[in-house]
């Protein structure tokens, strides 16, 4: 029997504590990674157009894009969150645009209720692979829209199809791109606070 | 290593007032404040068996309902939970509650506590020649957190969860069903239950990693560790890296539900698919967490009863490491129908199929261990061979499902149910019973009846195959999972499966009779009751082992077999 048991145990306790703390830090790191996944995923989607996230460009950048002699059909789709008392639809369901040329689409929205409602639109592109070429210059979906009771508005989207699309073998047989919007109600609060976007 | 050995020897001293290595605390202190790895292992096993009875009874309720098309029994079951004259929707909600409870109980409160908490706690210190786990008090906290988590899940069944009482969100808890789709506290209780069980698992993982890295006996290098210890080391790392991601995901669910965040809500800029990514980043390693300790036990058993060292020891150890590593990069094969691009599907199909390679190495090595061995068909060996067969069947259907194109057809059908029950309910559970019969006399000091153990195996084997094999047919014909009602053409095989449940359930009667027999009339177990094939360190001790073992550390020689 060792005469002073407590001091004899100290080295193994110290080593155990060190390994245990390293293991714990791995667990905490992974917990953090779970949360960082949210902004990382968003940055990744916006950078790559992954999973149908459309691209954005400034008007200046758009004016430098070469316009091709080929056309692409664009289909517009509109949806409303269930229970949101708005009417929302595109003025034309399809448009044929030259690849690279800026074009404008108009959407009509009407608040059919007796009180003001703020909405925000989420958007998606089909086929997914086309998302990295479908570029928006201006869109009502970039900001929240508030409609007074029974107010109607026309909302523009200015966009172009990046000419690099013609070089992508995955999209060689794509003749039409669908741009889909869904309007969601923004949680109302007296301070007009924005939700985390 | 001599100095280390002295420290270990000294470890026993604080408990050693009477200079009696077997001094045990009184009942309450021993079982409710336990810091002894063997006692905690026993508690985990009792807990897992209890939870398994509840989870198994729930599957009996589901098989009863599914034995015929239409809704037969859900109204009665709702009455048992205190809801009388339930509406049709409430009955369907109860179905969702049942599948949720069955999944969560079997995964978090039966397989994991039995494999990791039970056999892991009992045999990792014994096999590496350590006196106890590195953090005995944290070991105690792990266990009671798991119990608290189970209580939280049970409470959830009795509080409102949307349409009716209970959390009807599936074990996957996909948003938006688990957020805006389920009002009421039941889902919060269920999520909290996962928090508690997850925290317990993470602490357990830290404990195992520290124990295995720091507390091996002199001469026990990593490459001399028994394969069960290797399997627990890999499992602990999977837990450590996967569980916190689940904790993050379900914490986001809680805040989406209660604190107006919109992680998974498109109207606030979130994305419900994100939950699936986070969940399956945890969920796929989780299935390896459930099966790897079983792999380890099967390796010990096959080696013992073939009286040969395991064929290809290093290949076996690193196959488990490879399964663990690759297991982290295949998660989206659970999400083929969420709109992944072709390239992403191709990647996940390929990566998933790669896992068949290390798994194949393991199956091959088990068979090669038996090849030319002096095989004795004792009950653990019979269970282990049953495991190898059943797990291989489940693995083969897994390769089928790994194909993104085929999965478009089979997603959410009974084919998937058949697949994961072959690897878990038949694979993992069969390995649990193999381990149980292998080590039960070591843990209890009493021999079970070999006749009853064999009878248990054959009835169980027939029963589970009757239940789950026809589900391949049902799934291939398009029967969706997670529904209490189905089209009449599916009745034949569903009825067949429900009859199989009765066979399986009767095998469990044999199991409990066998345990009772062992405690009442079982012969006293010797230290090494399996004979010369059993070479790991736990067989050098008495059965049951002394309350404090290895006060003088064993020294592992260079000629040691695994």
């Amino acid at each position: 029997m060792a005469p002073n048991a407590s001091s004899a145990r100290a080295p193994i306790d110290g080593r155990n504590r060190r390994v245990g703390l390293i293991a714990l830090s791995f667990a905490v790191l992974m917990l953090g990674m779970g949360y960082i996944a949210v902004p990382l995923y968003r940055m990744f989607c916006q950078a790559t157009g992954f999973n149908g996230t459309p691209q954005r460009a400034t008007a200046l950048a758009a004016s430098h894009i070469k316009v091709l002699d080929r056309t692409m059909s664009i289909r517009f789709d509109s949806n409303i969150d269930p229970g949101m008392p708005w009417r929302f639809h595109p003025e034309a369901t399809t448009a044929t645009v030259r690849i690279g040329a800026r074009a404008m689409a108009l959407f009509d929205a009407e608040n059919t209720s007796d009180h003001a409602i703020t909405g925000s639109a989420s958007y998606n592109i089909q086929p997914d692979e086309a998302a990295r070429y479908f570029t928006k210059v201006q869109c009502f979906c970039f900001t929240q829209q508030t409609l007074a009771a029974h107010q109607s508005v026309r909302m523009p989207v200015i966009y172009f199809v990046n000419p690099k699309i013609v070089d992508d073998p995955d999209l060689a047989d794509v003749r039409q791109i669908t741009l889909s919007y869904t309007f969601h109600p923004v949680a109302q609060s007296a301070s007009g606070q924005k939700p985390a976007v | 290593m001599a100095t280390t050995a002295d420290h270990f020897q000294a470890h026993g001293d604080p408990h050693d007032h009477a200079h009696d290595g077997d001094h045990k605390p009184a009942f309450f202190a021993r079982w409710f404040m336990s810091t002894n790895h063997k006692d905690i292992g026993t508690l985990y096993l009792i807990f897992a068996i209890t939870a398994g009875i509840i989870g198994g009874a729930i599957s009996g309720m589901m098989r009863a309902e599914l034995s015929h098309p239409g809704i037969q029994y859900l109204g009665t079951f709702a009455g048992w939970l205190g809801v009388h004259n339930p509406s049709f929707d409430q009955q369907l909600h109860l179905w969702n509650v049942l599948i949720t409870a069955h999944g969560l109980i079997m995964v978090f409160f039966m397989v994991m506590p039995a494999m990791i908490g039970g056999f892991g706690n009992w045999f990792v210190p014994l096999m590496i020649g350590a006196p106890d786990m590195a953090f005995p008090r944290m070991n105690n906290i792990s266990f009671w957190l798991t119990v608290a988590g189970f209580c939280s899940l049970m409470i959830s069944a009795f509080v409102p969860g949307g349409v009716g009482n209970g959390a009807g969100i599936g074990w996957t808890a996909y948003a938006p069903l688990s957020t805006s789709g389920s009002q009421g506290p039941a889902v919060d209780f269920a999520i909290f239950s996962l928090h508690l069980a997850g925290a317990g698992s993470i602490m357990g993982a830290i404990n195992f990693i520290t124990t295995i890295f720091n507390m091996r006996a002199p001469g026990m290098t990593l490459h001399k560790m028994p394969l069960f210890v290797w399997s627990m080391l890999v499992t602990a790392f999977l837990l450590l890296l996967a569980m916190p991601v689940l904790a993050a995901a379900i914490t986001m669910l809680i805040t989406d539900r209660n604190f107006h965040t919109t992680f998974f809500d498109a109207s606030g800029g979130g994305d419900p698919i994100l939950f699936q990514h986070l969940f399956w980043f945890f969920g796929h390693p989780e299935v390896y967490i459930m099966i790897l300790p079983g792999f380890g036990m099967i390796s010990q058993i096959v080696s013992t009863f073939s009286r040969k060292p395991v064929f290809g020891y290093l290949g076996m150890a690193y196959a488990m490491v490879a399964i663990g590593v690759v297991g982290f990069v295949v998660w989206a094969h659970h999400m083929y129908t969420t709109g992944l691009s072709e390239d992403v599907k191709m990647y996940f199909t390929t990566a998933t199929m790669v896992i068949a390679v290390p798994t194949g190495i393991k199956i091959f090595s088990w068979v090669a261990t038996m090849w030319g061995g002096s095989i004795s068909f004792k009950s653990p060996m019979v269970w282990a061979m049953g495991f190898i067969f059943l797990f291989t069947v489940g693995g083969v259907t897994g390769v089928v499902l790994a194909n993104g194109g085929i999965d478009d057809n089979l997603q959410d059908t009974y084919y998937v149910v058949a697949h994961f029950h072959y690897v878990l309910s038949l694979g993992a559970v069969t390995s649990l019973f193999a381990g149980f019969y292998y080590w039960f006399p070591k843990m209890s000091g009493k021999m079970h009846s070999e006749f009853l153990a064999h009878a248990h195996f054959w009835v169980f084997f027939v029963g589970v195959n009757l239940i789950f094999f026809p589900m391949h047919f049902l799934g291939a014909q398009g029967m969706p999972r997670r529904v209490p009602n189905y089209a009449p053409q599916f009745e034949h095989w569903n009825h067949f499966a429900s009859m199989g449940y009765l066979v399986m359930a009767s095998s469990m009667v044999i199991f409990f009779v066998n345990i009772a027999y062992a405690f009442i009339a079982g012969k006293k177990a010797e230290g090494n009751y399996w004979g010369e094939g059993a070479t790991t360190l736990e067989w050098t001790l008495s059965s049951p082992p002394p309350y404090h073992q290895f006060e003088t550390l064993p020294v592992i020689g260079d000629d040691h077999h695994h």
Side-chain angles (χ1 to χ4, degrees), chain A residues 49-63:
Chain A
F50 184 76
N51 244 1
T53 312
Q55 305 291 293
R56 287 171 69 161
T58 61
L60 184 66
S63 64

Side-chain angles (χ1 to χ4, degrees), chain B residues 230-545:
Chain B
W230 262 106
S231 75
M232 286 303 307
L233 182 64
V234 177
T235 302
F237 269 103
L238 295 187
L239 278 171
L240 192 68
L241 299 179
M243 272 292 170
V245 178
L246 174 72
I250 61 179
T251 306
M252 291 180 208
L253 278 187
I254 286 271
T255 57
D256 268 18
R257 287 174 56 80
N258 300 311
F259 304 110
H260 304 295
T261 59
T262 55
F263 288 107
F264 309 126
D265 181 357
S267 68
D271 184 352
I273 301 292
L274 173 68
F275 179 80
Q276 299 191 23
H277 280 290
L278 291 174
F279 180 85
W280 286 114
F281 186 83
F282 146 80
H284 199 73
E286 170 69 18
V287 302
Y288 296 116
I289 288 166
M290 287 189 278
I291 199 68
L292 281 177
F295 284 178
M297 289 192 274
I298 297 301
S299 296
Q300 306 299 142
I301 293 166
V302 168
S303 161
T304 296
F305 296 99
S306 304
R307 288 184 222 175
K308 277 173 68 189
V310 171
F311 177 88
Y313 166 83
L314 274 185
M316 288 293 257
Y318 284 98
M320 288 191 283
V321 175
I323 290 170
V325 171
V326 183
F328 271 105
V329 291
V330 298
W331 75 91
H333 68 213
H334 298 271
M335 303 167 52
Y336 281 140
T337 57
T338 56
L340 301 176
S341 71
E342 293 303 308
D343 287 348
V344 173
K345 279 173 130 177
M346 278 196 284
Y347 161 73
F348 279 105
T349 299
T350 314
T352 305
M353 289 201 177
V354 165
I355 294 189
V357 176
T359 314
I361 289 173
K362 296 203 71 76
I363 305 278
F364 176 85
S365 298
W366 287 322
V367 176
T369 306
M370 289 187 258
W371 183 266
S374 175
I375 299 178
S376 52
F377 291 96
K378 295 281 172 30
S379 56
M381 184 62 169
V382 175
W383 280 95
M385 293 170 86
F387 167 88
I388 294 170
F389 172 74
L390 294 172
F391 186 81
T392 305
V393 174
V396 167
T397 54
V399 175
V400 173
L401 286 168
N403 291 277
I406 296 175
D407 186 77
D408 284 349
N409 242 15
L410 295 175
Q411 167 96 20
D412 269 339
T413 68
Y414 260 83
Y415 194 90
V416 178
V417 177
H419 158 68
F420 70 73
H421 280 93
Y422 261 86
V423 287
L424 294 177
S425 168
L426 285 66
V429 173
T430 304
S431 70
L432 280 174
F433 282 123
F436 190 86
Y437 287 118
Y438 186 56
W439 281 320
F440 172 76
K442 172 59 64 183
M443 296 185 286
S444 67
K446 302 281 190 178
M447 295 302 291
H448 56 263
S449 155
E450 275 289 284
F451 171 77
L452 289 177
H454 277 86
H456 176 198
F457 170 76
W458 286 107
V459 180
F460 181 86
F461 186 83
V462 170
V464 287
N465 279 294
L466 289 180
I467 301 172
F468 293 110
F469 205 81
M471 290 184 184
H472 292 113
F473 313 149
L474 291 169
Q477 289 162 8
M479 178 171 164
R481 62 189 283 213
R482 294 180 158 157
V483 287
N485 196 356
Y486 51 82
Q489 68 264 32
F490 299 128
E491 181 175 15
H492 177 74
W493 290 119
N494 268 300
H495 189 72
F496 199 84
S498 295
M499 293 301 108
Y501 178 84
L502 295 177
V503 177
M504 188 281 293
S506 56
S507 83
M508 298 314 294
V509 174
I510 304 174
F511 171 66
F512 289 111
V513 168
N514 202 359
I515 295 179
Y517 165 84
F519 280 117
I520 295 166
K523 282 197 302 244
K524 192 176 165 5
E526 296 159 22
N528 184 357
Y529 45 88
W530 295 128
E532 64 173 305
T535 55
T536 41
L537 283 175
E538 78 270 31
W539 306 110
T540 63
L541 299 168
S542 60
S543 302

Side-chain angles (χ1 to χ4, degrees), chain A residues 1-2 5 8-9 12 15-16 19-20 23-24 26-27 30-31 34-35 38 41-42 50-51 120 128-129 170 184 196-197, chain B residues 7 11 13 16 134-135 202 206 210 214-215 240-241 244 247-248 251-252 262 267-269 271 274 278 281 339 341 344:
Chain A
M1 295 288 155
R9 282 194 60 184
I12 186 68
R15 283 201 304 152
N16 283 352
V19 174
L24 178 68
F26 270 109
M30 290 308 287
L31 185 74
Y35 273 88
V38 180
Y41 179 70
R42 184 163 295 131
F50 184 76
N51 244 1
S120 73
D128 287 342
E129 290 83 352
D170 285 351
H184 308 276
V197 174
Chain B
H7 301 319
H11 177 82
D13 283 3
D16 210 358
F135 305 111
I202 292 169
I206 293 172
T210 310
N214 277 3
M215 296 181 63
L240 192 68
L241 299 179
T251 306
M252 291 180 208
T262 55
S267 68
D271 184 352
L274 173 68
L278 291 174
F281 186 83
S341 71
V344 173

Side-chain angles (χ1 to χ4, degrees), chain A residues 40-54:
Chain A
L40 279 183
Y41 179 70
R42 184 163 295 131
M43 283 159 60
F44 173 73
C45 289
Q46 274 159 7
T48 61
F50 184 76
N51 244 1
T53 312

Side-chain angles (χ1 to χ4, degrees), chain B residues 189-212:
Chain B
F189 271 108
I191 292 171
F192 188 53
S193 145
L194 292 186
H195 274 120
L196 292 172
S201 291
I202 292 169
M203 288 188 206
I206 293 172
N207 219 338
F208 278 112
I209 289 170
T210 310
T211 306
I212 295 172

